[in-house]
Amino acid sequence: MAISFDNALGVHPHTLNLRAERSKVIAGNLANVDTPGFKARDFDFQAALAQVELRHQPHTSSSAGAELMYRNPYNNSIDGNTVELGVEQAMFAQNAMDFETSLTFLNMKFRGCRQP
């Protein structure tokens, strides 16, 4: 009997892909913290995950469901840069913890597939 990994693993592989994509976006913001005129970007993780779930396509490109939006800063800067170091660091750390949580769930799914 063949096993369907998409059915067995559920949404967890897609979640990891989206978390990795979000890490890249936030890292790009952090890399441009001192670039005049740079606009911080991000995407709504929940909305992107909902789009991936609606498509029901295996191995969907994670960035296809993630619409990048500009982030509104809490404090305006003189040079037009909207990246706020503390905010970006907090979002990167939260995303990293969420990635680890998703990876733990995926590992539990693999262990469950191994058990007879």
Side-chain angles (χ1 to χ4, degrees):
M1 179 173 170
I3 186 170
S4 169
F5 283 108
D6 287 327
N7 290 337
L9 301 179
V11 71
H12 301 295
H14 301 294
T15 303
L16 283 177
N17 285 336
L18 285 171
R19 290 283 176 212
E21 286 297 316
R22 189 158 188 243
S23 290
K24 290 177 189 177
V25 172
I26 297 171
N29 291 343
L30 285 167
N32 288 289
V33 70
D34 293 324
T35 304
F38 183 83
K39 306 294 182 206
R41 311 254 347 230
D42 201 355
F43 64 87
D44 183 355
F45 176 81
Q46 295 299 331
L49 186 59
Q51 287 180 358
V52 168
E53 288 176 332
L54 285 176
R55 280 184 278 191
H56 295 298
Q57 294 178 356
H59 309 294
T60 304
S61 172
S62 58
S63 60
E67 179 185 349
L68 286 177
M69 299 174 285
Y70 291 102
R71 183 172 299 136
N72 292 324
Y74 293 106
N75 299 305
N76 292 324
S77 66
I78 295 172
D79 65 0
N81 185 315
T82 63
V83 178
E84 295 174 296
L85 185 60
V87 171
E88 298 298 328
Q89 288 174 329
M91 289 192 175
F92 191 86
Q94 180 65 49
N95 192 62
M97 287 188 303
D98 292 340
F99 183 91
E100 288 294 324
T101 301
S102 295
L103 188 59
T104 299
F105 281 120
L106 189 59
N107 282 332
M108 289 183 340
K109 288 285 192 175
F110 277 123
R111 280 190 215 115
C113 290
R114 270 194 320 209
Q115 301 297 327

